[in-house]
Amino acid sequence: MFLNFMIKNYHSIGDELKIDFSTAASRRIGAFTDIGGLANKIACLVGPNASGKSNILRGIVSFLNYMCHSYARPELRELQLMPHFCCSSKPTEFSVRFIEDNVQFEYAISLFNNIVQSEYLKRFTPETKRPKYVFVRELNNEVKQFNMKINKSDLNRLTENVSLFSLLLWSNYWGNGGFSRLSKNMLTNVRFGSSFVFVSSIERIDHIAKALRQNKLLFEDLIEELKAIDTGISEIHPVKIPPPMHYATPIEKKEYDMETLFALHRIDENDYKLHLSEESAGTINFMELFIYLYPILRNGGILISDELEQSLHPDITSRILDIFLDKDKNPNNAQILFTTHNPWFLQYLTKTQIFIVEKNDKAETEITRLDEIKGVRNDENYFLKYINGEYDGKPKINER
């Protein structure tokens, strides 16, 4: 589980910005678990357009990918870690504190022009809670080892644009169990750049159909969810699509492997079959999201979602949040970090789960957790307070 993320000098983020999942025991209300530290399962970012909410998510996703996979995935070594325009000559910095096997760790890295300036990993001893360095890496790949021994041959494979953490992870220094959830179980819809990738409905449905065919439990649980949220769907039938006639050769026909789905609606004891493309966009989005969510909820991890509510009714989005709160459906304490333009959700969250995002006079993104605002009570209706402007973080619209 994640306790906090820190970002500094990345896109609209200037000074250090922190997303804090942890809290004091005296403020423990709502979706918390005590597993090596008191950690929240939900963090919601709310604020106006262009305040930097998406930049926060992009920074975290870029950082986690680089931290865990830059050794194995060369494309991550060329990430466009654009600094704030006021600090273009300074490095971009990230850090994370997380829990692995009931032990707290802290990892941090500093990058400038895709070159690692510094990097470290700390381990907090369960008895004293004091940090001890596992390794420290300085500029020019100088590595100091403390509580581990790294082979010289492995260090020789370390380049200036690769994180040492990823090299050790992919070289199996911590075994199959060490940091496995951190490296594998992140789900996100965050996009990079201004271009949109359009995926046809046929391809989306093909992906859903194949996922359901491969996992019987997922298939059964999804049908139960579709019944519970009143879609009218009683059953789903995957069907393989035959190859088009213009695929002339046997090899082309064999390689053409697509599936589709039909949804069954039962009305007055009669069954009516509809192709999934004829269902609502919200239904298809929910099915797609549920399929992606399933392994995270079963194994632990984090969902990082930009505009979670897209094409979904607020009640359905609330149900997704409720799944994260349900110990039976979320047995391994999966977490969710999401942005929203719908403050309606705020009335169902606690003040330690709500983060107000806005820009200051220097065009820098700033963030405030709601419990940091003096006088905010636990029993307030945060939705009404927010839309009335009592917490700031609303668009300032000037009429002409």
Side-chain angles (χ1 to χ4, degrees):
M1 295 190 71
F2 295 101
L3 296 178
N4 62 55
F5 293 101
M6 187 281 293
I7 309 173
K8 185 176 182 179
N9 197 25
Y10 174 81
H11 287 263
S12 63
I13 300 164
D15 287 337
E16 179 178 309
L17 178 151
K18 183 179 283 188
I19 303 288
D20 199 349
F21 286 90
S22 62
T23 190
S26 60
R27 295 185 176 181
R28 179 176 179 161
I29 299 175
F32 285 94
T33 185
D34 194 353
I35 175 171
L38 204 59
N40 206 328
K41 297 179 187 177
I42 295 176
C44 170
L45 277 56
V46 63
N49 290 105
S51 60
K53 300 186 301 298
S54 296
N55 282 339
I56 294 172
L57 300 192
R58 289 189 191 106
I60 292 172
V61 171
S62 297
F63 163 54
L64 289 177
N65 278 328
Y66 188 92
M67 169 187 175
C68 295
H69 304 295
S70 55
Y71 174 72
R73 294 170 54 188
E75 71 275 12
L76 294 176
R77 305 169 198 169
E78 304 299 326
L79 285 176
Q80 296 300 310
L81 298 177
M82 186 183 297
H84 192 275
F85 54 77
C86 292
C87 308
S88 58
S89 61
K90 296 181 179 180
T92 299
E93 300 176 23
F94 301 99
S95 73
V96 60
R97 187 175 290 196
F98 60 96
I99 300 167
E100 178 81 17
D101 293 331
N102 294 322
V103 178
Q104 284 191 31
F105 292 87
E106 183 176 285
Y107 172 82
I109 193 167
S110 173
L111 294 155
F112 185 69
N113 289 336
N114 295 322
I115 295 174
V116 177
Q117 308 296 297
S118 63
E119 181 183 10
Y120 71 74
L121 177 66
K122 292 179 181 177
R123 180 182 187 275
F124 291 79
T125 57
E127 298 78 20
T128 64
K129 302 296 183 184
R130 292 181 179 176
K132 291 185 177 181
Y133 283 102
V134 178
F135 66 77
V136 175
R137 175 203 188 172
E138 302 294 346
L139 195 60
N140 301 321
N141 291 341
E142 182 182 345
V143 177
K144 299 177 182 178
Q145 305 160 50
F146 295 91
N147 293 323
M148 67 183 306
K149 179 66 175 175
I150 307 173
N151 293 330
K152 287 186 178 180
S153 59
D154 292 325
L155 287 177
N156 288 336
R157 291 186 282 120
L158 183 64
T159 58
E160 61 185 8
N161 58 356
V162 167
S163 77
L164 174 58
F165 186 95
S166 70
L167 186 148
L168 297 175
L169 185 64
W170 282 86
S171 300
N172 207 29
Y173 268 80
W174 291 296
N176 293 326
F179 305 122
S180 59
R181 292 182 184 178
L182 179 71
S183 63
K184 297 176 182 177
N185 292 354
M186 177 182 69
L187 169 66
T188 184
N189 68 342
V190 172
R191 292 187 178 96
F192 293 86
S194 57
S195 62
F196 289 90
V197 179
F198 292 96
V199 178
S200 71
S201 60
I202 294 175
E203 291 174 298
R204 292 180 70 194
I205 295 170
D206 171 62
H207 168 74
I208 295 171
K210 287 176 178 173
L212 295 178
R213 188 182 291 278
Q214 292 167 5
N215 191 325
K216 184 179 178 181
L217 290 176
L218 168 61
F219 192 107
E220 293 172 353
D221 285 356
L222 177 59
I223 291 175
E224 290 304 310
E225 282 296 315
L226 291 173
K227 291 178 181 178
I229 63 175
D230 195 27
T231 61
I233 296 174
S234 56
E235 291 182 34
I236 300 173
H237 295 297
V239 178
K240 288 196 173 185
I241 301 176
M245 293 301 293
H246 66 267
Y247 279 81
T249 69
I251 294 176
E252 288 176 326
K253 287 183 179 181
K254 186 176 181 181
E255 289 178 349
Y256 192 92
D257 180 25
M258 293 194 74
E259 301 183 34
T260 192
L261 287 169
F262 287 90
L264 212 63
H265 292 257
R266 185 158 295 157
I267 302 172
D268 296 330
E269 298 185 356
N270 294 315
D271 290 334
Y272 300 91
K273 187 184 289 187
L274 289 178
H275 190 265
L276 193 63
S277 62
E278 298 178 275
E279 301 289 342
S280 72
T283 297
I284 298 172
N285 284 351
F286 178 81
M287 292 174 67
E288 197 169 35
L289 178 59
F290 189 85
I291 285 169
Y292 279 118
L293 267 179
Y294 199 78
I296 294 272
L297 291 167
R298 290 297 175 272
N299 304 316
I302 188 167
L303 168 65
I304 300 176
S305 178
D306 202 6
E307 298 184 31
L308 177 66
E309 72 278 10
Q310 190 174 16
S311 296
L312 296 177
H313 189 278
D315 287 346
I316 306 304
T317 311
S318 295
R319 183 173 180 84
I320 292 171
L321 297 179
D322 288 340
I323 291 174
F324 280 86
L325 308 185
D326 190 317
K327 291 182 179 180
D328 293 328
K329 295 180 179 179
N330 183 12
N332 287 301
N333 300 309
Q335 293 170 287
I336 179 171
L337 167 61
F338 70 100
T339 67
T340 182
H341 287 121
N342 189 348
W344 185 83
F345 303 119
L346 303 186
Q347 61 188 313
Y348 300 107
L349 301 176
T350 70
K351 63 182 181 181
T352 57
Q353 297 167 351
I354 299 169
F355 294 79
I356 307 295
V357 182
E358 51 191 344
K359 282 186 178 175
N360 61 20
D361 295 337
K362 298 179 181 179
E364 294 177 333
T365 297
E366 293 185 335
I367 193 165
T368 305
R369 200 167 77 172
L370 200 56
D371 65 330
E372 297 171 354
I373 301 175
K374 189 176 180 180
V376 177
R377 303 194 315 270
N378 293 326
D379 59 351
E380 291 181 8
N381 187 317
Y382 305 126
F383 163 65
L384 292 177
K385 293 271 188 176
Y386 175 79
I387 62 174
N388 288 330
E390 295 189 35
Y391 303 143
D392 290 333
K394 283 188 63 183
K396 296 178 175 63
I397 300 173
N398 298 317
E399 299 288 352
R400 291 188 175 182

